[in-house]
Amino acid sequence: QMQRALRSLSIPLERLHIMKGHMIQDMCKGLSRHTHAQAKVRMLPTYICSTPNGTEKGTFLVVELCQSQVRILLVTLYGDGNMSPHMVYKIFDLPEGITRGEGEALFDFIAQCVSQFLAETFSSDTSKPEERIPLGFVFPFTCRQTQLDKAELLSWSKGFSCSGVVGKDVVQLLQSAINKQELCQVDIVVVMNDTVGTMMTCSTEGRTCEIAMVADKGSNCCFMAEAHLVETADGTSGRMCVNTEWGCFGDDGTLNDVFTPYDECVDVESSNPGEKRFEKMVGTLYLGEIVRHALIALTAEKAVFVGTDISVLKEKGVFTMQHILDIVNNEDGIDDAKRILELLGLQASERDCSRVQQICRAVMGRAATLHAIGLAAILSYMCQTRNMETLMVNVGVDGELFGNYSRFEEIVISVSRLLSPECKATLLPSRDGSGRGAAMVTAVALRLAAQRHEVNEVLAPLRLTHADLEKVQALMREEMDRGLCKETNATASVRMLPTYVSHTPDGTERGDFLALDLGGTNFRVLVVHVKEEGIIMASEIYIIPAAIMQGTGEALFDHIIDCVIDFQMKQNLVRDMLPLGFTFSFPCQQLGLDKALLLTWTKGFSASGCVGQDVVQLLREAAQRKQHTGMQVVALVNDTVGTMMACGYDDPKCEIGLIVGTGTNACYMEEMRNVGTVEGDQGRMCINMEWGSFGDNGCLDHLFTHFDKVVDDTTINPGKQRFEKLISGMYLGEIVRQIVMVMTEKQLLFQGKLSPKLQTRNIFQTKFLSAVELNGLPLRQIQAVLSELELDASFEDTVLLREVCQTVSLRAAQLCAAGLAAVVEKMRENRGLDQLSVTVGVDGTLYKLHPRFSSNLQKTLKDLAPKCNVSFLLSEDGSGKGAALVAAVASHAAN
């Protein structure tokens, strides 16, 4: 019988692994918005998103509600790494019956204690604080917290049952009671439970602590979870401390096979049968009772106390936690067992004493092992959700079981290591978790609130309201109208250039077409076969040497024709006279579909004899010089028009082209009657807006922040392309760098230390924005991005940097949407429609690769142009396939 009893109290390793798996499953359930209500491990958000960093200073009041007392503390921190806080406190005993009376009476009593404590502590008028005193409230009951200073009581426990409190905000109840005492300078900043306080206490003296475990009358654990996984809390990023409330683990039956008959008896006799089953196996409130019931059962089986009167054991609470500790902690525990049993009035043989000691050890060992299972579940979960191969973490521990059971730490460490070999936990004993820890939480909350105020001040100019965006939309519309009007075109900041493209593809185009794509040091030659079953393309990239880019125009265009001849020979197309579409990504004044004057070279080109000349003619003359007759240039297009045409082949509703990459531009189909710069009123024409220069006339100056001005001043074209400089990929990284430098100078980032690399222009590339903003990207990976910039980023730094990147990229997407809203609204009005359905063909790395840009753009567009139903289609090769399709549409129309 004895062996069976001991076996039932020990859990095999295989079962421990299964229990750990169940615990992780229930944790995930508790964090999910959809399954939270069914989870037994509640996983309650605490809204504590940071641990102390040692700079906290000030004086903080703490109110701690305990089992039978109220403790009031005044803690002073000196910003010295929290090495030597000064603490004074006083303990007040709770009056008889108050824990089962009216809630108002309880909170009034606590407020009276605060008043008396402050009166005694600041007895001389000279030391009385004039300023507000921030207060941290330790309330060790299960609450639903919705912000740092708002927590609804879900249920009482530990013998409390005050009326009128469940479902109410306990902070509001205490603050009202404090106000009644006319303590107007006392302000509750944060409410927490003792477990969170333990974690915060252990996060001092230069160590960070991200888990806390309380092994006391009850049992609980909290840890820093990735905030995006805490679905029950809104609007948080970075990490958040989650209070697991793991005492209820197993209430759904998952612990039934390890729940012994002794546990069943304890559960039945408790005030809440069937609830908190895990806690009843591990809490010091229950361990003596488990031993008592085990001894009753063994006596019935004649395994102990044969022939002895054991009626004393029928008395609840007779076998205490202290009895167990005396028996298990001492080498000569058998003598202690004999002494204790005799004190209880039990005549015990040496064998009885030995067996009692074995039962006590088994119950205590099991309690420590179950704590290890919970800890292992949290360690593995943290390691997995942070994408780490190994996790090293400090665990703050407090409570009677941890403090007084000599083998607790050894068992917890060895079992958790067995269950989670990828994690290494170091247990840190807490020093006054509830008091000092609560002061820490309060101090951190105030530090973060002050930091938040400063961060908001820095970022406020970049945060645009709906009204701001409506104004941008209206300004864009004004500039579009000015650009289309013959009289005002010359002074308009949006050029609205006619492209002479008058149709989008209708799907009936057929044939073989050539395309040239010239926009940088590389250029492409393509052949596009347009067939009934779809489009087939072949292409080759050719290099333009610097000497040719900066030599004569003749040499440049001769080189281009040489490459075309080479390509046609390789593709076996030499004998064919193929229509050619030419994507020429430099500023031009277009005078016809196949006639365009180069206005200026950009992108490192400076070939002589080209500016002011017809680019198509220069290409034709080079072909004549080379006696090449295998091509006929029918259209010159820019990449934005090419994008619209490439998408138009797949979707006939595509009548807008948008580029958001290194630069930005848009084009759309305008009614000919509105195009004052071209003769004729019939039909439509694609207008190349060249909207990057929107605002060059000063109309967007109100949006330009200090950061934008600094970026603009350091570009090769200050004061030009101002809209583009707010939106496109070439500039966003540099805007972020400027903000980060200002925040670092204000001590908001990187402890105020600027790395030399961060002071290098354009070092923060826009691809970093995409990496930093990836939703769910573990912050460790953001730290890796920052280490490339020689920045030693703390966890908080990465959260703030993500916010900066999100602010800059959101503004870019919103401004782009405001421009697009002006376009679609104009098209809707042009056509006299109540509702417009249109597709935008889009290209560009920022739109395609940034994790949030496209969704932010689409959401804002919907808000600004609710009468337009706009779809977006990603372009595949607008400058190649698109140019060929312009040629195809032109040839089709000519025929």
Side-chain angles (χ1 to χ4, degrees):
Q1 294 97 323
M2 188 65 198
Q3 287 307 313
R4 191 167 69 243
L6 292 173
R7 251 197 324 273
S8 73
L9 289 164
S10 75
I11 306 168
L13 181 61
E14 187 183 332
R15 186 71 187 87
L16 296 180
H17 276 291
I18 293 168
M19 287 168 76
K20 174 193 155 186
H22 282 315
M23 176 75 90
I24 291 175
Q25 276 173 11
D26 221 20
M27 283 163 58
C28 293
K29 237 172 145 175
L31 288 170
S32 163
R33 191 179 287 112
H34 306 297
T35 53
H36 171 76
Q38 293 90 54
K40 295 301 174 191
V41 180
R42 299 296 300 276
M43 303 299 279
L44 302 171
T46 65
Y47 292 85
I48 290 163
C49 297
S50 186
T51 51
N53 67 2
T55 64
E56 293 79 14
K57 56 182 168 187
T59 298
F60 307 94
L61 195 58
V62 172
V63 169
E64 183 189 356
L65 180 58
C66 310
Q67 188 85 28
S68 55
Q69 299 164 325
V70 173
R71 189 166 70 131
I72 314 287
L73 304 91
L74 197 69
V75 183
T76 305
L77 302 173
Y78 298 102
D80 59 354
N82 303 321
M83 301 302 268
S84 52
H86 178 258
M87 295 187 5
V88 283
Y89 68 90
K90 184 168 182 181
I91 291 172
F92 300 84
D93 289 324
L94 287 171
E96 189 72 36
I98 199 167
T99 60
R100 293 180 299 284
E102 287 184 11
E104 190 176 356
L106 173 67
F107 287 99
D108 282 346
F109 174 74
I110 296 171
Q112 286 158 17
C113 297
V114 172
S115 182
Q116 188 184 327
F117 174 80
L118 288 175
E120 290 171 10
T121 308
F122 298 108
S123 51
S124 66
D125 283 341
T126 51
S127 63
K128 195 160 189 177
E130 293 298 317
E131 295 175 4
R132 103 186 231 245
I133 308 173
L135 182 148
F137 182 23
V138 182
F139 187 74
F141 301 96
T142 305
C143 291
R144 179 188 293 111
Q145 209 157 337
T146 50
Q147 53 197 53
L148 267 177
D149 59 353
K150 191 172 171 60
E152 278 177 26
L153 177 64
L154 292 176
S155 61
W156 285 114
S157 57
K158 303 170 192 172
F160 279 69
S161 58
C162 299
S163 63
V165 184
V166 172
K168 299 270 177 64
D169 175 11
V170 295
V171 174
Q172 192 54 54
L173 294 174
L174 180 56
Q175 188 71 62
S176 300
I178 285 172
N179 295 347
K180 274 192 233 170
Q181 297 292 321
E182 296 184 359
L183 298 170
C184 54
Q185 78 273 37
V186 175
D187 196 0
I188 305 174
V189 170
V190 62
V191 60
M192 78 214 81
N193 68 9
D194 48 351
T195 319
V196 176
T198 296
M199 184 179 80
M200 291 305 228
T201 301
C202 295
S203 280
T204 57
E205 298 163 19
R207 307 165 304 199
T208 53
C209 175
E210 295 192 89
I211 305 176
M213 183 164 67
V214 171
D216 203 63
K217 290 183 174 59
S219 173
N220 196 14
C221 192
C222 68
F223 70 100
M224 295 301 284
E226 303 299 299
H228 70 97
L229 298 172
V230 187
E231 293 179 5
T232 49
D234 291 325
T236 55
S237 63
R239 287 183 187 147
M240 183 186 283
C241 178
V242 170
N243 169 23
T244 63
E245 290 292 345
W246 71 13
C248 299
F249 175 53
D251 287 4
D252 56 356
T254 47
L255 295 180
N256 285 358
D257 59 333
V258 292
F259 215 63
T260 67
Y262 327 128
D263 297 309
E264 295 283 1
C265 293
V266 171
D267 185 35
V268 167
E269 288 179 4
S270 71
S271 61
N272 53 350
E275 292 175 20
K276 297 215 163 190
R277 299 187 85 190
F278 183 71
E279 187 165 283
K280 286 170 187 167
M281 296 169 82
V282 300
T284 58
L285 195 63
Y286 306 98
L287 299 185
E289 285 298 284
I290 297 171
V291 170
R292 182 174 73 85
H293 279 291
L295 296 180
I296 291 170
L298 287 167
T299 304
E301 292 174 338
K302 297 193 166 38
V304 289
F305 305 131
V306 178
T308 301
D309 176 17
I310 63 147
S311 53
V312 67
L313 284 178
K314 302 277 167 67
E315 196 183 315
K316 192 176 174 185
V318 72
F319 209 93
T320 66
M321 184 63 195
Q322 194 53 54
H323 292 150
I324 300 180
L325 289 168
D326 289 346
I327 291 169
V328 299
N329 278 344
N330 300 334
E331 288 298 317
D332 49 359
I334 290 181
D335 294 343
D336 282 304
K338 192 166 188 64
R339 176 178 58 77
I340 288 160
L341 293 169
E342 282 174 358
L343 273 174
L344 292 174
L346 291 164
Q347 298 303 309
S349 67
E350 195 157 317
R351 188 184 79 151
D352 290 339
C353 294
S354 168
R355 290 190 166 183
V356 168
Q357 187 187 40
Q358 284 178 285
I359 291 293
C360 288
R361 281 181 173 161
V363 168
M364 293 292 271
R366 184 184 71 159
T369 300
L370 289 169
H371 275 96
I373 291 170
L375 178 60
I378 285 170
L379 290 169
S380 288
Y381 176 81
M382 284 171 77
C383 191
Q384 196 182 329
T385 53
R386 293 182 184 188
N387 270 8
M388 297 172 87
E389 287 172 21
T390 55
L391 174 74
M392 293 179 77
V393 69
N394 290 324
V395 181
V397 198
D398 204 355
E400 189 181 9
L401 189 61
F402 167 70
N404 298 332
Y405 175 36
S406 57
R407 290 200 58 217
F408 182 85
E409 182 169 353
E410 171 205 332
I411 292 171
V412 166
I413 288 293
S414 61
V415 174
S416 63
R417 194 81 38 93
L418 262 176
L419 296 176
S420 301
E422 75 283 16
C423 305
K424 183 172 187 258
T426 304
L427 301 194
L428 304 175
S430 165
R431 287 187 290 158
D432 191 14
S434 302
R436 186 170 156 180
M440 290 294 170
V441 176
T442 311
V444 168
L446 288 176
R447 170 171 65 78
L448 292 180
Q451 185 194 44
R452 171 51 39 203
H453 179 70
E454 280 202 77
V455 167
N456 286 344
E457 274 192 345
V458 174
L459 295 179
L462 294 119
R463 292 183 165 143
L464 303 179
T465 64
H466 186 74
D468 291 331
L469 295 170
E470 284 182 323
K471 188 175 177 185
V472 173
Q473 179 181 352
L475 287 167
M476 176 67 90
R477 175 61 189 267
E478 274 176 41
E479 289 298 301
M480 288 169 70
D481 289 339
R482 290 183 59 204
L484 286 170
C485 173
K486 194 171 184 179
E487 289 70 36
T488 51
N489 171 268
T491 56
S493 71
V494 180
R495 297 292 305 280
M496 304 298 281
L497 305 172
T499 64
Y500 297 87
V501 171
S502 51
H503 297 89
T504 53
D506 62 9
T508 62
E509 296 78 16
R510 299 285 179 270
D512 297 338
F513 305 92
L514 286 174
L516 281 186
D517 176 14
L518 179 64
T521 49
N522 294 345
F523 93 103
R524 289 185 308 153
V525 186
L526 306 91
V527 62
V528 178
H529 308 285
V530 184
K531 302 182 175 184
E532 198 166 334
E533 54 273 22
I535 288 179
I536 302 164
M537 298 197 296
S539 66
E540 187 154 345
I541 293 174
Y542 295 90
I543 305 289
I544 301 182
I548 289 180
M549 285 167 67
Q550 288 144 26
T552 66
E554 272 195 14
L556 172 64
F557 284 94
D558 282 354
H559 177 70
I560 291 170
I561 292 295
D562 285 339
C563 296
V564 172
I565 293 168
D566 175 71
F567 177 78
Q568 283 188 273
M569 284 177 70
K570 285 178 179 169
Q571 293 292 326
N572 213 7
L573 297 168
V574 181
R575 293 189 198 86
D576 303 332
M577 171 86 149
L578 297 180
L580 181 143
F582 187 10
T583 300
F584 187 74
S585 300
F586 298 91
C588 287
Q589 181 189 354
Q590 204 145 350
L591 304 174
L593 188 58
D594 62 351
K595 189 172 177 61
L597 310 183
L598 175 64
L599 296 174
T600 174
W601 280 121
T602 56
K603 307 174 193 179
F605 280 73
S606 60
S608 62
C610 299
V611 173
Q613 299 299 308
D614 176 3
V615 182
V616 174
Q617 194 51 37
L618 293 174
L619 189 64
R620 285 174 178 156
E621 286 168 3
Q624 282 167 3
R625 281 195 297 277
K626 296 282 179 181
Q627 296 180 341
H628 181 56
T629 55
M631 53 171 243
Q632 178 193 1
V633 187
V634 296
L636 183 131
V637 292
N638 78 354
D639 50 355
T640 318
V641 178
T643 295
M644 179 186 79
M645 296 298 269
C647 293
Y649 184 79
D650 298 315
D651 180 352
K653 284 201 302 191
C654 181
E655 295 187 82
I656 302 172
L658 174 68
I659 302 272
V660 200
T662 315
T664 181
N665 192 17
C667 68
Y668 72 103
M669 297 303 287
E670 178 58 90
E671 308 303 309
M672 273 297 291
R673 65 176 184 273
N674 296 332
V675 186
T677 49
V678 177
E679 294 299 316
D681 284 345
Q682 295 308 304
R684 292 177 184 149
M685 181 180 287
C686 178
I687 297 294
N688 166 22
M689 295 176 67
E690 290 293 343
W691 78 5
S693 55
F694 174 43
D696 287 5
N697 58 358
C699 67
L700 293 181
D701 284 4
H702 63 289
L703 290 181
F704 255 61
T705 66
H706 159 76
F707 312 111
D708 300 310
K709 291 184 183 98
V710 173
V711 172
D712 184 35
D713 289 344
T714 55
T715 59
I716 55 168
N717 56 348
K720 299 273 191 286
Q721 297 293 106
R722 299 195 79 187
F723 191 56
E724 181 164 273
K725 286 172 186 168
L726 299 173
I727 289 177
S728 77
M730 184 176 263
Y731 306 100
L732 297 190
E734 183 60 10
I735 295 169
V736 167
R737 188 182 74 87
Q738 293 296 337
I739 298 169
V740 166
M741 290 210 299
V742 166
M743 284 191 169
T744 308
E745 282 159 20
K746 288 179 178 283
Q747 306 279 316
L748 296 170
L749 278 171
F750 314 126
Q751 297 172 309
K753 293 176 196 144
L754 274 174
S755 77
K757 215 164 181 184
L758 188 63
Q759 296 174 63
T760 312
R761 249 185 66 211
N762 296 320
I763 193 80
F764 197 94
Q765 296 162 18
T766 299
K767 70 172 185 184
F768 286 149
L769 262 82
S770 293
V772 168
E773 288 191 61
L774 265 177
N775 201 14
L777 179 75
L779 291 148
R780 192 173 57 88
Q781 281 171 248
I782 298 178
Q783 285 173 316
V785 168
L786 294 175
S787 67
E788 280 186 46
L789 302 174
E790 294 165 8
L791 289 166
D792 183 16
S794 72
F795 167 76
E796 279 177 35
D797 291 335
T798 59
V799 175
L800 184 47
L801 184 80
R802 180 180 269 175
E803 184 181 350
V804 172
C805 291
Q806 284 171 347
T807 305
V808 171
S809 71
L810 172 63
R811 181 185 69 156
Q814 288 175 327
L815 288 170
C816 190
L820 211 46
V823 173
V824 294
E825 270 299 305
K826 183 169 190 341
M827 291 174 75
R828 186 183 69 78
E829 287 172 26
N830 283 347
R831 299 173 189 192
L833 298 171
D834 291 333
Q835 200 77 26
L836 172 76
S837 259
V838 69
T839 299
V840 180
V842 205
D843 206 348
T845 47
L846 185 62
Y847 187 92
K848 285 182 170 176
L849 302 181
H850 188 281
R852 293 163 181 253
F853 190 93
S854 58
S855 56
N856 286 334
L857 167 65
Q858 290 173 35
K859 179 183 178 298
T860 309
L861 180 59
K862 205 167 245 161
D863 290 345
L864 293 173
K867 294 181 177 174
C868 300
N869 178 21
V870 185
S871 308
F872 287 79
L873 186 58
L874 283 181
S875 162
E876 291 169 51
D877 194 15
S879 42
K881 175 178 164 185
L885 282 164
V886 175
V889 171
S891 304
H892 190 55
N895 295 335

